[in-house]
Amino acid sequence: MSDRIVAADVIVTSPGRNYVTLKVTTADGVVGYGDATLNGRELAVASYLRDHLAPLLVGRDPARIEDTWQLLYRGAYWRRGPVTMAAIGAVDVALWDVKGKTLGQPVYQLLGGAVRDRVLTYTHASAWEVPALLDAVDARLAQGFRAVRAQSGVPGLETVYGVHRDVASYEPAARGSALVEESWDTSAYLRHAPEALAAVREHVGAGVHLLHDAHHRLTPQQAARLGKALEPVDLFWLEDVTPAENQDVLRLVRQHTTTPLAIGEAFTTVFDVHHLITEQLIDFVRCAVVHAGGISHLRKILAMAEVYQVRGAPHGPSDVSPVSFGASVHVGLATHNFAIQEYMGYPEPVHDVFPHSWSYADGYLHPGDAPGVGVALDEKLAAKFPYESAYLPVARQLDGTLTDW
Ligand code: KDG
Ligand code: MG
C-alpha cells in the first residue's frame, strides 16, 4: 500500500528573519519540509496552512504531488495571490522532499538530472557614497562572486530602500511593530543612478556582471530614460523598473532601450507572467519557488519562458528560507533556461536552524546530493527564536505622497 501523510505541522521561527516552515510527516516516517515565508505577512500563510490545508493533506498519498497541487489550487475556488501560492508552494516543496527521500535521490535528479555543473549566483553590494560602494563591490568579488547587484544612496535623501549607510548588504524588513517611512525623490535618483553605476563599471572592468534594482518606482517614461542612460554600463539586468500591476506599460520601455529587464519577484503564477513572457517584455523572470507555487509551478513558468528565450532568475533575499532557496538551486541545476540565482546570504543562526546540503563556492551554488531537497529544520533551536513582527519600509515623495516601492 502506498504511503500516507499523517501530520502537517507549521513552524514559525525568527533567527534574524521570520520563516514559516511546513513539516509533512508520512506513515512510513518520512519527513518533508516546505517554505511558506511571505515577508511582512508571515502569519497569514501560517494560518492558511494550519487552518485550511493541513486538514486536506492528512490521509493523502504524498507521492501524488501534481494532483495535490491541482486540488489545492482549483479546490479553493479563490485562486492565485501570494498567500495562497506561498501555502501551495510549501506543500509542493515538502512533497518533492518526501519523494526524494523515499527514492533516495536529490530532487534535481527527479527533475531530469543536471544540465550544468553548478548554478551561477549574484549577490548584493550597497553603500551610501560611490567610493564605499566600490569597496563593497570589491569585497563581494573577493568572496568569489562574478555577478553583483549594486545600489547606492541618493544625494539629498536621508534614506533609500535597500541601502544602509553602514552595512554593505542588508535586509530592509525592519523588525518591531512600527512601520518605517523613508523618503524618495525620483528626479534625484534618475540623475544619480547612471553616474554611480558607470563608476562601478569603470572600477570592475568588463568581466563582472552588474545588476541594479529600481524596486518598482518609475513611470514607463522614466524607466525608458534610465534603461537608455544605463546602456553604456552594460548591465546584466535592470530590475523591477515599473510597478507590478500594469505589465502593458513595459512595451514603451522596450521600444526605447536594449538594457535587459528582469521582473517577477512579486508575481505568483504563470497566469500572471504569461504576457510578460509571450510578448517578450522581459529578459529574466524572477518568480521564486516559495511565492510561485513551489517547484512544480516554477518549472511550468520556466517551460513557457524557454519558448520565448526568457531565462529564470529567482528571487533569493534572506527572507526566502534556506528550504525554498535549496529547492530553487535544484531547479537551477536541472533547468536549461535558468540563468542565475540571487543569493543575499543569511544571518549566522539561520544556517544552524536550517542545516542544508546546498553550498556556495566561487560565485556558484550547488544543491548537494542529499536525498530530497537537502534542508532540515532543527526544531529545538528554532524554538529559541520566536516570531517578531517585521515590516518592509514604505517611501514617500518629498511632498509626502506615498510612492510605489
Ligand atoms: O525583504 C525585502 C526583499 O524581499 C526585497 O528587498 C527583495 O527586491 C528584492 C530583491 O531583489 O531581492
Ligand atoms: Mg528585487
Side-chain angles (χ1 to χ4, degrees):
M1 189 184 141
S2 54
D3 199 5
R4 286 281 171 255
I5 296 172
V6 293
D9 301 301
V10 179
I11 297 122
V12 182
T13 181
S14 191
R17 306 277 180 271
N18 289 322
Y19 299 113
V20 178
T21 307
L22 174 70
K23 176 186 174 189
V24 166
T25 308
T26 76
D28 289 350
V30 183
V31 169
Y33 295 103
D35 172 27
T37 308
L38 187 62
N39 61 356
R41 297 295 184 269
E42 298 86 358
L43 300 185
V45 192
S47 161
Y48 194 107
L49 281 167
R50 269 192 200 116
D51 300 329
H52 304 290
L53 300 196
L56 299 177
L57 293 176
V58 173
R60 291 185 62 81
D61 179 353
R64 296 184 63 159
I65 302 176
E66 180 66 18
D67 184 51
T68 302
W69 196 100
Q70 298 296 343
L71 174 83
L72 301 183
Y73 183 78
R74 295 173 198 287
Y77 185 78
W78 305 108
R79 297 182 189 178
R80 302 159 57 233
V83 174
T84 300
M85 297 311 294
I88 295 176
V91 174
D92 183 80
V93 171
L95 296 187
W96 277 104
D97 195 24
V98 167
K99 193 181 282 285
K101 286 169 177 163
T102 304
L103 299 174
Q105 291 291 329
V107 163
Y108 76 83
Q109 292 291 9
L110 308 181
L111 300 176
V115 295
R116 52 181 60 86
D117 302 327
R118 49 194 184 156
V119 176
L120 180 65
T121 182
Y122 77 90
T123 194
H124 298 186
S126 62
W128 196 261
E129 304 287 349
V130 171
L133 177 60
L134 304 183
D135 291 345
V137 171
D138 282 346
R140 293 314 202 172
L141 297 180
Q143 292 168 332
F145 286 98
R146 289 156 163 76
V148 181
R149 190 191 86 168
Q151 310 285 131
S152 75
V154 174
L157 293 184
E158 285 301 307
T159 47
V160 166
Y161 180 80
V163 181
H164 195 279
R165 284 183 179 266
D166 313 311
V167 185
S169 165
Y170 93 113
E171 162 57 51
R175 294 151 76 76
S177 51
L179 179 69
V180 173
E181 298 200 354
E182 301 182 336
S183 56
W184 183 247
D185 177 355
T186 307
S187 308
Y189 166 73
L190 287 175
R191 278 193 300 273
H192 185 65
E195 271 173 39
L197 289 160
V200 177
R201 172 56 76 205
E202 193 175 84
H203 182 72
V204 298
V208 175
H209 295 310
L210 292 179
L211 303 84
H212 180 70
D213 195 338
H215 292 302
H216 318 270
R217 290 215 168 139
L218 307 176
T219 65
Q221 184 274 344
Q222 292 164 343
R225 180 179 143 198
L226 181 62
K228 225 168 157 177
L230 288 172
E231 280 170 19
V233 177
D234 187 20
L235 286 186
F236 189 84
W237 77 46
L238 174 60
E239 180 181 338
D240 283 342
V241 280
T242 54
E245 289 90 341
N246 186 349
Q247 307 173 10
D248 292 339
V249 300
L250 290 164
R251 284 200 196 97
L252 185 140
V253 185
R254 285 300 235 191
Q255 281 159 15
H256 290 280
T257 180
T258 55
T259 291
L261 299 181
I263 289 190
E265 66 183 48
F267 292 81
T268 59
T269 70
V270 71
F271 309 108
D272 299 300
V273 290
H274 83 276
H275 282 308
L276 290 177
I277 291 171
T278 57
E279 295 184 31
Q280 291 173 310
L281 299 176
I282 54 172
D283 300 282
F284 298 94
V285 60
R286 301 261 298 133
C287 299
V289 162
V290 53
H291 301 130
I295 292 170
S296 304
H297 198 66
L298 182 60
R299 288 273 283 184
K300 288 182 188 175
I301 292 172
L302 296 181
M304 175 178 269
E306 185 175 11
V307 178
Y308 296 90
Q309 291 178 287
V310 173
R311 294 193 289 155
H315 194 206
S318 53
D319 45 42
V320 161
S321 103
V323 176
S324 50
F325 186 81
S328 197
V329 183
H330 281 280
V331 173
L333 200 69
T335 307
H336 183 258
N337 64 325
F338 192 107
I340 196 165
Q341 172 64 55
E342 181 181 13
Y343 178 39
M344 186 176 165
Y346 291 100
E348 208 36 60
V350 176
H351 296 281
D352 299 326
V353 173
F354 294 95
H356 52 81
S357 64
W358 58 259
S359 59
Y360 165 82
D362 299 329
Y364 292 88
L365 297 160
H366 194 281
D369 281 299
V373 173
V375 185
L377 174 63
D378 181 334
E379 286 185 54
K380 271 199 185 137
L381 194 55
K384 293 189 178 156
F385 300 99
Y387 170 78
E388 283 181 48
S389 61
Y391 294 99
L392 289 176
V394 295
R396 292 186 185 273
Q397 299 279 348
L398 299 181
D399 68 355
T401 308
L402 203 64
T403 189
D404 278 299
W405 68 271

